[in-house]
Amino acid sequence: MSDLERLIQLLAKLPGLGPRSARRAALYLVKRRDSLLAPLAKVLTDAADSIRPCSVCGNLDTRDPCGVCTDPKRDDSVICVVEEVADMWALERTAAFTGRYHVLGGTLSALDGVGPEDLAIPGLLARVRGGPVKEVILATNATVDGQTTAHYIADLLADCGVQVSGLAHGVPMGGELDYLDEGTLSAALKARRPV
Amino acid sequence: MSDLERLIQLLAKLPGLGPRSARRAALYLVKRRDSLLAPLAKVLTDAADSIRPCSVCGNLDTRDPCGVCTDPKRDDSVICVVEEVADMWALERTAAFTGRYHVLGGTLSALDGVGPEDLAIPGLLARVRGGPVKEVILATNATVDGQTTAHYIADLLADCGVQVSGLAHGVPMGGELDYLDEGTLSAALKARRPV
């Protein structure tokens, strides 16, 4: 197999790229050897060497512990628990949270055979028991698996003396009621607040 | 800027990937260091070294002349002229053409300041005049620029003693008349054939 075919095959494995768009991306890369292909090759090589999961929270970074775990300005008393690194980054982009994070690495799933020992739950318990943590925010996805995992962790944390909270459910900003599902609408109605 | 940020920035330049999907792809890569990230880094480095445009037809390949130009089974008497390498690959996937190709590298465009000297037109004329070519198929896109370029080349080839042809226009296979534009429908009607 030629370099080009192999390049297309590997690009097609990326999320969001199928065989056709991988072909387009490969051609685009090869035509921009100096401005894109060579720099991308270099940064991928560097990333393969440098990026490691943080041993504290599970974030991906060139440092271990990661930048978020070592940031002295962040609040040690709140840990936000998320499923994946992408969720952590999404929360970081809001700039609305200044505590620490804990990445589970997935959700409990009986179907896929994912048990508590496959997730970073023991590490979370150790952090909560051993540190100055006062609140744990369970920010797993609002899916069945995500909520199951959140309930499981909430049960484990029940006797740790910390406050356990979850994200609010409701109408998304800019959302139109007509296009929302019944579950979201009824959650928003139940959690209604005085204006 | 960290390796991760730089990786996301470069991935976001690929066609079909925006900032959000580039972030997703970067995370996907970093989580699959051995199965995807390292191989992709290697093949990109290899490709940057090995893939060059073919000096005969403009195809991208690890060999020069490319595999298509050196294939002894292909018909030297027909040259198919396309705008980009991607178009050539699209035609190759049909396996319906066994002649040679010539990649122009774009279309004439007065607006973008692309003149005949910016495209591989001199090389095409040299190939037609110097070789056993009997037919030139102008397979540029069915856009204004593509058709303008095809007409320009057809004029240049008028006194070369070769047959000049173009792709048929009509209803795409599986196409529904109701969803087709008027231009395609009227072209299909004008070029109607006895059943």
Side-chain angles (χ1 to χ4, degrees):
Chain A
M1 192 186 297
S2 80
D3 285 344
L4 207 49
E5 282 162 2
R6 183 133 179 78
L7 174 59
I8 294 169
Q9 203 184 50
L10 286 173
L11 284 174
K13 289 188 184 170
L14 291 180
L17 287 182
R20 185 177 289 263
S21 44
R23 223 157 31 217
R24 206 152 63 97
L27 269 179
Y28 191 90
L29 278 167
V30 171
K31 283 177 121 187
R32 285 155 188 82
R33 185 195 316 276
D34 297 328
S35 65
L36 190 55
L37 198 158
L40 186 60
K42 183 172 181 318
V43 80
L44 280 170
T45 310
D46 293 349
D49 292 337
S50 69
I51 297 174
R52 294 276 179 277
C54 170
S55 56
V56 177
C57 74
N59 185 22
L60 292 163
D61 202 344
T62 47
R63 289 179 285 174
D64 183 14
C66 73
V68 173
C69 285
T70 52
D71 185 348
K73 288 191 199 126
R74 299 190 78 109
D75 182 359
D76 279 321
S77 69
V78 193
I79 293 182
C80 181
V81 177
V82 293
E83 291 179 21
E84 299 287 353
V85 176
D87 304 329
M88 167 172 174
W89 292 3
L91 287 166
E92 275 300 279
R93 285 197 296 279
T94 68
F97 179 69
T98 57
R100 310 288 179 181
Y101 289 91
H102 196 83
V103 179
L104 293 175
T107 53
L108 297 175
S109 169
L111 266 178
D112 299 330
V114 181
E117 66 285 356
D118 300 314
L119 304 177
I121 292 178
L124 174 66
L125 293 179
R127 285 178 79 185
V128 170
R129 285 185 186 132
V133 180
K134 290 185 191 140
E135 181 179 2
V136 172
I137 304 173
L138 298 173
T140 50
N141 289 335
T143 55
V144 172
D145 281 349
Q147 292 306 299
T148 308
T149 310
H151 278 124
Y152 178 84
I153 295 174
D155 284 349
L156 288 180
L157 294 174
D159 57 350
C160 289
V162 295
Q163 196 187 327
V164 179
S165 55
L167 296 181
H169 295 300
V171 182
M173 301 305 286
E176 297 184 39
L177 299 198
D178 196 17
Y179 292 98
L180 279 177
D181 62 296
E182 289 77 10
T184 304
L185 261 187
S186 68
L189 202 58
K190 271 187 210 147
R192 66 190 179 277
R193 312 184 309 169
V195 179
Chain B
M1 192 186 299
S2 80
D3 285 345
L4 206 49
E5 282 162 3
R6 181 131 182 77
L7 174 59
I8 294 169
Q9 204 183 49
L10 287 173
L11 284 174
K13 290 188 185 170
L14 291 181
L17 286 182
R20 185 176 289 263
S21 43
R23 222 154 34 215
R24 206 152 63 95
L27 269 179
Y28 192 90
L29 277 166
V30 171
K31 284 177 121 187
R32 286 157 188 80
R33 185 195 317 277
D34 297 327
S35 65
L36 191 55
L37 199 156
L40 186 59
K42 182 169 182 319
V43 80
L44 279 169
T45 310
D46 292 348
D49 292 337
S50 69
I51 296 175
R52 294 275 179 281
C54 172
S55 56
V56 177
C57 73
N59 186 21
L60 291 163
D61 203 344
T62 47
R63 290 179 284 173
D64 183 15
C66 73
V68 174
C69 284
T70 52
D71 184 346
K73 287 192 201 127
R74 299 189 77 107
D75 183 359
D76 279 321
S77 69
V78 193
I79 293 183
C80 180
V81 177
V82 293
E83 290 179 21
E84 299 288 354
V85 176
D87 304 328
M88 168 173 173
W89 291 3
L91 285 166
E92 275 300 279
R93 285 197 296 280
T94 67
F97 179 69
T98 56
R100 310 289 180 180
Y101 289 93
H102 196 84
V103 180
L104 294 175
T107 54
L108 297 176
S109 169
L111 266 177
D112 299 330
V114 180
E117 66 284 356
D118 300 313
L119 304 177
I121 293 178
L124 174 66
L125 292 178
R127 284 179 79 185
V128 170
R129 285 187 186 131
V133 181
K134 289 185 189 140
E135 181 179 4
V136 173
I137 305 173
L138 298 173
T140 51
N141 289 334
T143 56
V144 172
D145 282 350
Q147 293 306 301
T148 307
T149 310
H151 278 124
Y152 178 84
I153 296 174
D155 284 349
L156 289 181
L157 293 175
D159 57 351
C160 289
V162 294
Q163 196 187 328
V164 180
S165 55
L167 296 181
H169 296 300
V171 181
M173 300 305 288
E176 297 185 39
L177 299 199
D178 196 16
Y179 293 98
L180 278 177
D181 63 294
E182 288 78 9
T184 304
L185 261 188
S186 66
L189 203 58
K190 271 187 209 147
R192 66 189 177 277
R193 311 184 308 170
V195 179

